[in-house]
Structure formats: C-alpha cells, structure tokens
Amino acid sequence: MGQLFSDMETMSKNNNDGDLVSSFNAYFKNIKAENKIISQETIKLIELQLDKGSIQGANSLISDALKNIGDAPINIAVTGESGGGKSSFINALLGIGPEEEGAAEIGVIETTMKRTSYKHPKIKTLTLWDLPGIGTQKFPPNAYLEEVKFKEYDFFVVVSATRFTKLELDLAKAIGIMKKNYYFVRTKVDTDLENEKRSKPRTFEREKTLKQIRSYSVKTFSDNSMAVPQIFLVSNYDLSNYDFPVLMDTLIKDLNVQKRHNFMLSLPDITEAAIDRKHKATQQFIWLEAFKAGVLATFPVVGILRDNDVEKLNRSLNFYRRIFGVDDESLELVAKDLQVPVGQVKEIIKSPHLLKASREETLGKKLLKYLEKFASANGGLLATGLYFRKTFCLQLHFLDTVTEDAKVLLRWTYSKH
C-alpha cells in the first residue's frame, strides 16, 4: 500500500520530563483503584523514573507491567455438590452455551476425585477448574484441598442449588485458614422464583421470595456457628439479573492487580456497565503501550502508516471485536439464537467495516477521517496533553467503535427477547 498519509507528529507540545510526569499522573488519577490494571506502586515508580529524567527506566517498568499482565495465569476453582449448577456456572463464566465446544458437561454424576479444567475460549491465561463436591469424598476438608491442589487457585467458588452442607462450610473454613478467598453462590434462583409463582399465583412477591431464599442460606451459617459471608444469588441462564454482576465486581476487586485486566476481558457483556469496564481496561493497555512508544520519541517524527501498521491495526480490531463479542463468529451465534439472518445483525453495527475501502474512498482517506474524528472528540489524547502516534490513536478509535457496537447489540438482543 505504501504511504497512506504523512504529517509531523510530536510526543507533546512541550516534551519535557515534568510534562511526562503530569501527563502520566493525569491519566491514572481519574481511574478508580479497582479498575486499574497496574498497581499504584508501579504507577509511582514510573512517575519517579520520569521525574528523574530516566525515559528508559520508565519504559522498562511499563514493558514489565504489560508482560506481567499478559502472562499472569488465572485459576478459578468451582466446587459444590453434583446437581448444584456447577457446570452451568462454569459455562456462564466461559461465555459459552452447554452444547458448544469446550463447555462443561451438564448433568454428569461425580464418581471420582479427578478435577477437570476448562480453558476460556478467548482469554488463554484463564482456566476454570471443576472440582468434585466434597460430599462425594471420604476424607476431611484439609486432605480434600491437598488432593485438588488448592495452592494453584486464585479463589474458590462454592456452588449450591439448595442449602450449603456442613461439609461445604467446613471446606470454606479450611480454605480461609489457608489464606485463600472463597465465595458462596446460590444458583437456580430463577427456577425457585418460577416454582413459587406457579404454586402461589395470587400472593407471589418476587422480592419477598428472594429474601426468603437468602435467609434460608444465611440460616445454614448461623446454625453452624459461622460468620455469615456475602451470598450471591444467581441464575446461570440470566446473568444480568440477580447478583451475578455484583459477584463479578467483587471478584475483580479481590483479584491480584496483574490478573485483573484479563479477567475483566473474559467477562460476558451482560450489562452496559460490564462493557464499559472492559473498555476502560483495554484503553489502559493501549494507553500504556502508546506512552511507552511515545516517550522514546523525544524528537519530531514523520508519521507514516505502512503495510505492517495496517496489519497491526487489523489484528487489533479483530481482537477487540472478539473480546467484545461482535466478531463474525459471535454475530452468527446471536443470529442463530434469535432466528434471524446474520446480515440483519451485522447491519446494526459499524466495526466490521472500519478497515474496508470503497470505490468512493480509499483506506488512507478513511483512516485520516478517523484520526480527525478522534482528535476532535478527545482534544489531543484524553485531555493529557499527549499526542500519540497514529496507530495508537486509531486503535483507541477502533476500541470506542467496538464498545459502542457491543452496547448496540446488547440493547438490540434484549429488544428481541
């Protein structure tokens, strides 16, 4: 393709160390602690290097942080009695249906001690582990935890469709003693509500029934002289309802900061808030890469988009579409679920057409328009005073477009149900 367009780009209007520190600080100070993908300690260390004028030192810290984010494994253990909704809960976290490839098999009777791993289809560092219920074993919680290699997991989710057994409570105690986080999840809440409504059509009250379900679970803990933890009421088939979004927020907050980014990217787009959170995480990653590339550009450079730049943009766009569930494969699944032509689904979104040229407009002119649109909307870059290279500005524009597509698709899908 050769040169698409060229102009003069600089890192910032006044590229000095003080500006770099203030720009870096300005970006991260507006992001909540639980949403940051690098620790506050790392942010301070980078600022310190910039303040000392050590561009290479700051670059090295950012490179290490990005590598740690990309490589950090996330292991989630899910346990509970057979029939309690473990497999459906795992599939919900994987974002796949029960009949799709790689899904946890539903309705399987546990007969062995063997744990089963399930890799997330989009986030390769995330693994969910289906552990057999402790009630099926013949040894105490401590031995059970050793057998299932408890040290490997970031946290445990204890799942039940009725009430938590004493064995499960004892297991939670042992997990706590071993300094691991655990969460109690009460599944099949939608089924309970339907059954109650069917049996008491005139007196049924949704909130009252939910309160009764929660109280019933709480009583289990008080009956066993245990402090009552937070109990999450969920439906594995209606994730935007009940406590599933609250559970996800809790897990994100409790996770190691290095693992937070990829876990946020793995979450299903069940609400606009979930989509926004995923957007913020991805934006930070792009911003850090752009800052790292930019701080080395201490002199004006000619901005040229070559073939390999366009290839990189295409890879980035495809990654964003996949993570936000607006890639071709995801759109085909949506169309199949709603029993509509896939072309009808594609009509409502913009991202599939971002890198497609037309007879009326070359790709170069199209990308230039995107840059102009991005610059006018962001006033430089996110009001930090930095002017990053074109490829990063375009990545941020692509991310914004994909994010809006995900929201449009979510609203459209709900309107069809």
Side-chain angles (χ1 to χ4, degrees):
M1 283 180 63
Q3 181 175 331
L4 292 175
F5 49 81
S6 170
D7 65 3
M8 298 298 288
E9 283 184 330
T10 59
M11 176 60 193
S12 66
K13 290 179 180 177
N14 300 299
N15 190 12
N16 58 54
D17 300 336
D19 286 338
L20 291 177
V21 176
S22 60
S23 297
F24 196 90
N25 179 267
Y27 180 72
F28 280 102
K29 76 176 182 180
N30 292 321
I31 300 173
K32 292 180 181 178
E34 62 267 25
N35 289 332
K36 288 177 181 174
I37 66 171
I38 59 174
S39 68
Q40 191 59 39
E41 181 185 8
T42 301
I43 291 170
K44 290 293 182 188
L45 287 172
I46 293 168
E47 288 175 354
L48 182 63
Q49 290 296 320
L50 292 172
D51 201 35
K52 285 163 47 178
S54 176
I55 301 298
Q56 194 60 47
N59 177 59
S60 178
L61 285 168
I62 294 172
S63 295
D64 289 345
L66 293 175
K67 187 176 186 304
N68 288 337
I69 289 168
D71 295 344
I74 308 166
N75 290 284
I76 302 171
V78 183
T79 187
E81 287 191 337
S82 181
K86 271 193 306 173
S87 296
S88 298
F89 181 77
I90 287 170
N91 291 337
L93 285 178
L94 292 173
I96 58 179
E99 296 178 333
E100 292 180 46
E101 185 181 348
E105 196 172 345
I106 295 169
V108 178
I109 298 172
E110 291 169 342
T111 57
T112 69
M113 186 60 227
K114 188 179 177 183
R115 60 180 187 155
T116 308
S117 65
Y118 296 94
K119 285 280 185 186
H120 194 281
K122 297 178 182 177
I123 305 299
K124 300 307 179 187
T125 56
L126 173 58
T127 307
L128 293 164
W129 295 88
D130 185 353
L131 308 185
I134 189 171
T136 62
Q137 313 312 314
K138 301 191 183 299
F139 38 77
N142 287 359
Y144 170 89
L145 288 171
E146 290 291 345
E147 191 70 26
V148 299
K149 306 182 188 304
F150 80 94
K151 290 181 182 177
E152 293 183 8
Y153 313 116
D154 292 287
F155 53 81
F156 290 76
V157 178
V158 184
V159 173
S160 175
T162 52
R163 65 183 292 160
F164 300 100
T165 67
K166 188 176 186 309
L167 276 171
E168 288 165 344
L169 301 188
D170 289 341
L171 175 64
K173 287 179 185 176
I175 294 169
I177 289 169
M178 293 173 176
K179 307 297 183 186
K180 293 281 186 178
N181 286 341
Y182 60 88
Y183 307 89
F184 284 98
V185 172
R186 171 65 162 77
T187 61
K188 303 186 180 181
V189 173
D190 51 341
T191 303
D192 290 333
L193 288 173
E194 281 299 318
N195 290 340
E196 185 74 4
K197 189 176 182 179
R198 197 176 295 114
S199 63
K200 300 174 183 175
R202 288 190 296 175
T203 60
F204 171 75
E205 292 180 34
R206 183 180 184 274
E207 292 307 315
K208 182 180 178 182
T209 304
L210 285 172
K211 190 175 181 180
Q212 288 171 343
I213 294 170
R214 198 180 297 278
S215 297
Y216 184 70
S217 298
V218 165
K219 189 175 185 299
T220 312
F221 292 90
S222 54
D223 286 349
N224 287 275
S225 303
M226 273 185 74
V228 179
Q230 189 172 3
I231 299 167
F232 301 92
L233 308 184
V234 307
S235 160
N236 293 326
Y237 300 101
D238 186 5
L239 301 182
S240 62
N241 219 332
Y242 315 110
D243 293 339
F244 191 89
V246 182
L247 172 62
M248 293 304 102
D249 288 348
T250 305
L251 299 183
I252 289 167
K253 201 176 294 184
D254 291 350
L255 256 182
N256 179 299
V257 67
Q258 291 177 348
K259 305 187 180 193
R260 192 176 290 158
H261 174 63
N262 277 343
F263 185 68
M264 281 193 276
L265 295 191
S266 78
L267 299 180
D269 296 332
I270 53 175
T271 63
E272 291 197 22
I275 294 170
D276 282 336
R277 174 169 250 164
K278 197 178 287 190
H279 172 269
K280 286 186 178 75
T282 310
Q283 186 194 73
Q284 285 176 69
F285 200 92
I286 298 170
W287 197 92
L288 284 165
E289 283 194 317
F291 193 92
K292 182 186 72 170
V295 294
L296 294 179
T298 54
F299 54 88
V301 294
V302 175
I304 300 173
L305 276 180
R306 303 183 185 278
D307 287 352
N308 61 346
D309 292 320
V310 177
E311 287 170 15
K312 181 181 178 182
L313 286 169
N314 191 46
R315 286 196 301 272
S316 297
L317 176 58
N318 288 335
F319 175 72
Y320 305 149
R321 288 184 64 201
R322 193 159 182 259
I323 289 300
F324 284 83
V326 294
D327 56 306
D328 290 347
E329 185 180 346
S330 298
L331 296 178
E332 284 169 11
L333 288 172
V334 170
K336 187 178 179 182
D337 181 48
L338 297 176
Q339 297 183 327
V340 298
V342 69
Q344 188 178 336
V345 184
K346 288 184 177 181
E347 280 177 7
I348 67 170
I349 61 176
K350 298 177 181 177
S351 55
H353 316 292
L354 282 172
L355 282 173
K356 289 182 180 177
S358 64
R359 288 183 181 179
E360 298 79 23
E361 186 176 45
T362 65
L363 182 57
K365 288 181 179 178
K366 199 171 190 178
L367 292 174
L368 185 56
K369 280 187 179 179
Y370 294 155
L371 280 171
E372 290 170 352
K373 182 178 179 181
F374 180 85
S376 62
N378 290 278
L381 182 65
L382 309 171
T384 61
L386 299 180
Y387 291 82
F388 292 147
R389 293 170 180 171
K390 292 185 184 71
T391 50
F392 293 110
C393 292
L394 287 168
Q395 282 185 52
L396 288 163
H397 174 68
F398 290 177
L399 174 63
D400 289 347
T401 306
V402 170
T403 301
E404 185 55 34
D405 278 354
K407 291 180 180 180
V408 167
L409 185 63
L410 179 68
R411 294 178 207 130
W412 187 80
T413 303
Y414 276 127
S415 73
K416 295 292 180 183
H417 280 298

